[in-house]
Amino acid sequence: MSDFLIELEKAAGGVGSVRTNEPMKHHTTFRTGGPAAYFAAPSCVKELSDTVKLCRGEEIPYYILGNGSNLLVSDAGYRGAVISMENFCGCAVTGDRIRAGAGLLLSRLARKALESSLTGFEFAAGIPGTLGGAVVMNAGAYGGEIKQVLQSVTVLNKSGEVLELEAKDLDLGYRHSNILERGYIVVEGEILLEPGESAAIKARMEELAARRREKQPLEYPSAGSTFKRPEGHFAGRLIEEAGLRGFQVGGAQVSEKHCGFVINRNHATSADILELCRQIQERVKLQSGVDLEMEVRRLGDF
Ligand SMILES: Cc1cc2nc3c(=O)[nH]c(=O)nc-3n(C[C@H](O)[C@H](O)[C@H](O)COP(=O)(O)OP(=O)(O)OC[C@H]3O[C@@H](n4cnc5c(N)ncnc54)[C@H](O)[C@@H]3O)c2cc1C
């Protein structure tokens, strides 16, 4: 066992808190990606802070992982430490407010809102990410976005200090926040909802889930919409107009059901997915003159 691994285990919570050569295909919704040299899952702020400090001190790159639903990891893997937020999944309701850990899945948070007869979070129930990932991306769907409900976040800064920030300080915009550029790690967030009727909240969630099932290729691994919506256009429509419905590179395919989704159709590699994305960008640019920007994040060497 290397000295670094021993120290990492100590920092992240002791024996069992770190795995080595962890296949990232088990941690991304694309179901692709090679091994992470280290995969740590701290359980409290101190362990998180110690883990980050150790990596910084030893100059080992690290990456914060939510649910990996907006992430493409290189087939060669990642030579640093992936730090999973999976153990930060507490949740407490006080009046119209819900305070939750960054690793809590949005579906769980939405269920908590439903059980508490709180409305305003129905839009997020079908987004397969964590609260932390959703804050970073300002995730949104069906007319709702995190920005509308988020009140504040607790973050860890690069020096390991815990800060409480108001949502208005996060520069939340279309699939954007300033969290990554400032090197923050979201630890918790608080959302403010409104009293509602359980039956109506449940009905709205079911309606949106049915719309997703009807329009999106949920039967295949993907990262949702692969590209950001270009101003004045829809990525899916541009891709369809470029004649790319069903277009395939290796095992990666432009979904036949929804052209905005690149899917892992048949044992795709991350290289297949990225090459397909590159060809889509090229063909769409030629066809319509529009630059498509990837929404999906990349990790490792491509
Ligand atoms: C089938 C499907 C449907 C989808 N539908 C939607 C949709 O309707 N709307 C939408 O907006 N998105 C959608 N997505 C994309 C994705 O679910 C969202 O972007 C989601 O917010 C990502 O959350 P995550 O926890 O999986 O983040 P990850 O993919 O793990 O990470 C995303 C980014 O956030 C960073 N990050 C994660 N957690 C933290 C943290 N605690 N602190 C600091 N940085 C952090 C990561 O380092 C990374 O840069 C969909 C994806 C799929 C697969």
Side-chain angles (χ1 to χ4, degrees):
M1 217 186 197
S2 72
D3 287 352
F4 175 73
L5 180 54
I6 292 169
E7 290 305 312
L8 186 61
E9 265 201 351
K10 268 193 216 156
V15 178
S17 60
V18 179
R19 281 172 263 168
T20 52
N21 287 322
E22 176 68 8
M24 287 304 292
K25 65 180 179 194
H26 296 158
H27 301 280
T28 60
T29 53
F30 263 133
R31 298 283 173 253
T32 63
Y38 305 99
F39 186 95
S43 299
C44 64
V45 176
K46 177 164 184 335
E47 289 171 0
L48 177 65
S49 167
D50 287 353
T51 303
V52 168
K53 270 190 210 148
L54 177 71
C55 291
R56 292 178 76 83
E58 298 292 324
E59 296 184 356
I60 301 282
Y62 61 89
Y63 188 84
I64 303 300
L65 180 71
N67 198 39
S69 64
N70 201 33
L71 180 61
L72 184 66
V73 180
S74 160
D75 300 311
Y78 178 57
R79 276 171 289 180
V82 168
I83 303 176
S84 165
M85 298 301 289
E86 65 196 36
N87 294 324
F88 289 75
C89 49
C91 187
V93 184
T94 313
D96 303 347
R97 290 170 189 267
I98 309 182
R99 198 164 180 82
L104 189 72
L105 289 172
L106 297 175
S107 54
R108 293 270 174 89
L109 187 44
R111 175 146 289 277
K112 193 76 179 174
L114 168 62
E115 285 164 7
S116 312
S117 300
L118 292 173
T119 183
F121 206 65
E122 294 87 329
F123 76 89
I127 303 176
T130 59
L131 178 61
V135 171
V136 168
M137 298 300 300
N138 185 26
Y142 303 111
E145 57 178 353
I146 289 293
K147 185 180 178 177
Q148 295 164 358
V149 291
L150 189 72
Q151 295 300 293
S152 62
V153 284
T154 307
V155 300
L156 202 64
N157 71 9
K158 283 185 185 170
S159 327
E161 292 164 328
V162 176
L163 309 176
E164 192 68 25
L165 303 175
E166 288 183 46
K168 66 175 172 46
D169 298 326
L170 301 178
D171 193 24
L172 295 170
Y174 175 65
R175 300 297 171 266
H176 173 268
S177 72
N178 61 18
I179 288 168
L180 295 185
E181 58 218 52
R182 290 162 86 175
Y184 291 151
I185 300 173
V186 181
V187 176
E188 270 183 18
E190 185 170 278
I191 58 170
L192 175 63
L193 304 175
E194 285 175 20
E197 291 267 325
S198 288
I201 297 167
K202 188 158 181 270
R204 175 74 176 149
M205 284 182 187
E206 283 170 359
E207 180 210 331
L208 296 183
R211 278 163 72 175
R212 272 186 195 272
R213 280 195 302 274
E214 190 200 336
K215 301 269 185 233
Q216 300 182 359
L218 301 182
E219 58 281 22
Y220 291 104
S222 79
S225 299
T226 317
F227 300 96
K228 289 189 177 183
R229 179 164 25 84
E231 223 169 307
H233 301 274
F234 289 103
R237 192 169 300 158
L238 293 173
I239 295 167
E240 184 178 359
E241 284 167 5
L244 293 172
R245 183 182 292 276
F247 181 65
Q248 217 161 330
V249 170
Q253 187 186 39
V254 173
S255 164
E256 286 165 337
K257 195 168 177 186
H258 185 321
C259 292
F261 279 52
V262 164
I263 58 170
N264 179 350
R265 176 71 196 243
N266 185 17
H267 304 290
T269 60
S270 293
D272 292 341
I273 292 169
L274 198 60
E275 175 57 19
L276 176 56
C277 291
R278 197 193 60 72
Q279 292 196 30
I280 293 170
Q281 285 169 318
E282 200 176 276
R283 299 265 292 263
V284 166
K285 178 78 177 172
L286 263 177
Q287 166 76 24
S288 59
V290 177
D291 287 305
L292 287 182
E293 187 193 337
M294 277 183 77
E295 183 175 316
V296 176
R297 311 260 159 177
R298 269 163 280 177
L299 177 64
D301 298 329
F302 280 94

